[in-house]
Amino acid sequence: MKPVVIRRRPASTRSDWPVELHPLVARVYAARGIAAHEAGPQRLADLLTPAVLGGVEQACDLLADAIVRDLRICIVGDFDADGATGTAVAVRGLRLLGARDVCYRVPNRMVDGYGLGVGLVDALADIRPDLVVTVDNGIASHAGIAAARARGMRVIVTDHHLPGPTLPPADAIVNPNAVALAACAHASPPCAGCADAGARASALAGVGVMFYLLLALRARLYPGESRARPDLASLLDLVALGTVADLVPLDANNRILVAAGLHRIRNGRASAGVAALYRSAGRDPRRAVAADLGYALGPRINAAGRLEDMSLGIECLLSDDADAALALAERLSAINAERRELQAAMVEQGEAMLARFVERWDEASLPCGIVLHEPDWHPGVVGLVASKLKERLNRPVVAFARADESGVELRGSARSIAGFHLRDALADVDAAHPGLIGRFGGHAMAAGLSLPAANLAAFAAEFDAAARRRLDPGQLERCLWSDGELHPHEFTADNARALRYAAPWGQAFPEPAFDNVFAVASWRAVGEKHLHMQLRPVQGGDALEAILFDALAAMPPPARVRALYQLDLNDWNGRERLQLLVRHIEPA
């Protein structure tokens, strides 16, 4: 397997930054090509307007009518953190805007599958909603939406996933990735204006799309700057949580949304559910950063949808009672602990399968697209397995599990690498080989699909062929990016603090990492598999505390190493001290 390559982002001499911007932050932004106007404070006033989504006028018409006539509105969410937060935002937001009869339903992963299916529509007959609003799903639910409308329900789709060649028969569709298709159904290619409108908002998560629709509805119901206008900013902690957890790119617009949500959390204005999740996770909300949402809170919400019932997560986010929310958060933490044990066993199996893969092929013939399946894998956790294994090989991975006890059908989750658009690749396979795949959907970096178990080998070959067509050898290189070298005087807690709070770091906007050559002054194993070191920069200066997690292969470290690291703050007993969070080491 090819070794990891550390590459430095090019330095920049730009100087047109806001004067208040920290010098080290400015250096990082410059190397990443961030525009000067995007480097200042993240302000809600700079958000894109809801009009760029398309479909909002029709959706607002339906929602305003439902509120005025006191109709029953049912939110149909999804069983991941984006869907859960989006559902909570929809329920809370519509109630703030005057809706008195709002309920929600979430499909069961094992029984209903994804989205607004016909079976879920049949189940909705018991509550007889007048209006169904999907959140983070619906763009592929043609049959379910047709069934709902046949029962007399109106349907609004709010989604961010890529549409197929045709749109579902909904009464309104709000989806930035469907703007061009909806507005230019008879134009090929779509007109530049619609394509640009969709592109500028295409990174929104499902919860972000729902929040935007609520902003548009509020403008309709409360024109002007009326004091009676409900404060939708109270929903931003939920918007931030869903946006980070869904791994959508943190472009300028999403960074504004996430920064606003984190600001509320740090200032003690989080919803009871988010505050309870912080407490259950042992995190300090006063120091809230995007990584908390992605690595501590998001997995707890996701675990409910993976192993049990996502309604647990939604009820936690809807609760206004601190004690009730904490009880639900503790239950989610217990489910997440179970998920971690199950995932660890599945990843271990996957690693063994990968080892056999690597033994079977040399580097040149190793499949570009990896497809794995074990009969005893859990369908709720295969996405996490695919994510871990694609990091290991830097190749797109699809992990499959049995959809039910019969094993006749498989359900898979796919995770990708930069440059390989999963949903487009699956569409290519489906178009070239109709019937090979059952259902599929998703976006560039993550997708889900089902197929008959008998088709697994054929799909694996076609997926690999699609990856070979779309990826060049350079994209398969295991590359880690560095923001450059730090000088001895730059290793300070103040610099670590400035970087921590400069922006929401995450997908497509990674936390700054630097690389230096160090002498290893001392080292010791921590917790059997972690490596604690004292690293002394070769340019001079004091030895620095450093930690490398999951480092069995790196023990003992050589006397001199090149390390890729992040400046981190170790919070212990109320004191912050600098430490290096090491991501990779190699002999120097």
Side-chain angles (χ1 to χ4, degrees):
M1 198 182 307
K2 291 181 180 178
V4 173
V5 175
I6 298 176
R7 288 186 176 168
R8 288 182 177 175
R9 294 184 173 90
S12 172
T13 57
R14 287 180 54 188
S15 58
D16 57 336
W17 301 108
V19 293
E20 68 273 13
L21 194 64
H22 189 280
L24 187 54
V25 175
R27 171 179 147 188
V28 170
Y29 282 176
R32 299 181 183 200
I34 301 299
H37 71 275
E38 295 177 356
Q42 283 114 0
R43 303 179 307 169
L44 289 171
D46 295 328
L47 281 174
L48 296 172
T49 66
V52 303
L53 270 69
V56 290
E57 290 299 320
Q58 300 94 312
C60 285
D61 288 342
L62 291 165
L63 286 168
D65 178 66
I67 291 172
V68 169
R69 295 171 57 198
D70 209 16
L71 302 180
R72 174 164 292 177
I73 304 170
C74 181
I75 309 302
V76 173
D78 186 22
F79 38 64
D80 68 357
D82 186 16
T85 54
T87 300
V89 163
V91 172
R92 284 183 173 276
L94 288 172
R95 288 173 179 169
L96 282 171
L97 294 173
R100 294 189 296 177
D101 193 352
V102 185
C103 61
Y104 73 88
R105 292 291 185 274
V106 181
N108 182 289
R109 183 189 294 267
M110 302 298 294
V111 176
D112 304 305
Y114 171 75
L116 181 61
V118 174
L120 184 58
V121 171
D122 291 341
L124 292 180
D126 292 342
I127 59 173
R128 299 181 181 180
D130 301 290
L131 177 62
V132 172
V133 182
T134 72
V135 180
D136 192 34
N137 73 89
I139 202 64
S141 301
H142 293 68
I145 290 171
R149 295 192 67 187
R151 288 179 176 269
M153 306 173 198
R154 310 295 292 275
V155 181
I156 298 172
V157 168
T158 76
D159 201 351
H160 70 126
H161 294 97
L162 293 166
T166 60
L167 294 174
D171 295 277
I173 295 175
V174 184
N175 181 341
N177 285 299
V179 167
L181 190 58
C184 304
H186 304 292
S188 181
C191 72
C194 290
D196 178 64
R200 284 184 291 150
S202 62
L204 284 170
V207 66
V209 174
M210 187 67 235
F211 181 69
Y212 261 65
L213 176 56
L214 293 172
L215 291 176
L217 180 61
R218 183 180 67 174
R220 170 76 65 86
L221 297 175
Y222 298 87
E225 295 298 325
S226 168
R227 289 186 178 180
R229 261 189 164 194
D231 180 19
L232 296 182
S234 62
L235 306 173
L236 283 166
D237 59 331
L238 300 176
V239 176
L241 172 55
T243 298
V244 173
D246 206 46
L247 298 179
V248 293
L250 293 187
D251 64 357
N253 201 64
N254 278 338
R255 292 200 300 275
I256 293 172
L257 290 171
V258 175
L262 289 171
H263 181 76
R264 293 188 67 86
I265 295 170
R266 290 182 199 130
N267 285 277
R269 292 185 292 162
S271 61
V274 169
L277 287 167
Y278 260 90
R279 182 174 173 184
S280 181
R283 303 277 179 125
D284 185 352
R286 296 170 299 179
R287 295 183 173 90
V289 291
D292 298 335
L293 309 181
Y295 295 109
L297 276 66
R300 283 167 164 76
I301 296 292
N302 275 325
R306 295 185 189 281
L307 300 184
E308 291 198 23
D309 182 359
M310 182 49 87
S311 296
L312 292 171
I314 296 172
E315 285 301 313
C316 180
L317 299 177
L318 286 175
S319 178
D320 291 319
D321 181 281
D323 292 335
L326 182 59
L328 288 165
E330 295 288 2
R331 190 171 172 189
L332 291 170
S333 290
I335 298 170
N336 189 50
E338 179 186 349
R339 185 272 307 169
R340 292 178 67 176
E341 290 182 9
L342 180 61
Q343 177 189 336
M346 290 169 58
V347 168
E348 185 176 350
Q349 286 180 307
E351 291 278 9
M353 294 175 70
L354 280 184
R356 295 195 294 271
F357 258 80
V358 175
E359 289 173 2
R360 203 181 311 162
W361 289 286
D362 59 27
E363 188 69 37
S365 61
L366 187 69
C368 290
I370 306 292
V371 176
L372 301 172
H373 166 246
E374 280 287 338
D376 60 345
W377 280 358
H378 191 292
V381 188
V382 286
L384 299 173
V385 173
S387 180
K388 290 285 186 183
L389 299 182
K390 69 96 177 177
E391 292 172 3
R392 170 101 153 75
L393 280 182
N394 197 51
R395 281 166 162 77
V397 174
V398 188
F400 282 100
R402 293 185 299 180
D404 55 37
E405 289 299 320
S406 72
V408 173
E409 184 178 357
L410 302 180
R411 189 171 295 155
S413 284
R415 298 294 183 269
S416 194
I417 62 174
F420 185 74
H421 197 298
L422 269 175
R423 201 257 172 212
D424 286 356
L426 293 175
D428 287 350
V429 172
D430 183 58
H433 304 277
L436 183 64
I437 304 174
R439 297 178 59 189
F440 69 94
H443 39 78
M445 301 303 290
L449 69 157
S450 62
L451 50 77
N455 292 359
L456 180 64
F459 171 76
E462 293 304 324
F463 184 71
D464 177 43
R468 288 185 182 278
R469 287 192 300 270
R470 288 172 171 266
L471 291 167
D472 61 53
Q475 291 171 298
L476 298 175
E477 189 174 58
R478 300 177 67 213
C479 178
L480 298 174
W481 286 95
S482 167
D483 289 290
E485 184 179 55
L486 290 184
H487 300 291
H489 71 273
E490 293 179 302
F491 289 102
T492 67
D494 286 342
N495 279 346
R497 194 174 297 107
L499 291 171
R500 171 183 276 192
Y501 299 116
W505 308 102
Q507 186 71 16
F509 198 66
E511 192 163 349
F514 307 92
D515 73 283
N516 282 70
V517 175
F518 298 94
V520 179
S522 65
W523 70 275
R524 60 185 172 88
V526 178
E528 296 185 357
K529 62 178 182 177
H530 310 311
L531 177 60
H532 182 277
M533 297 173 284
Q534 293 288 329
L535 300 180
R536 191 182 304 278
V538 295
Q539 312 102 305
D542 297 332
L544 302 160
E545 181 182 346
I547 185 77
L548 173 63
F549 294 107
D550 297 320
L552 285 175
M555 296 186 208
R560 186 180 170 103
V561 298
R562 183 185 183 196
L564 181 75
Y565 60 89
Q566 295 168 359
L567 287 186
D568 189 41
L569 291 171
N570 188 355
D571 305 321
W572 181 254
N573 287 335
R575 293 182 57 201
E576 289 183 338
R577 69 177 188 273
L578 178 71
Q579 73 172 2
L580 306 186
L581 187 58
V582 179
R583 296 306 188 189
H584 172 74
I585 60 171
E586 59 190 37

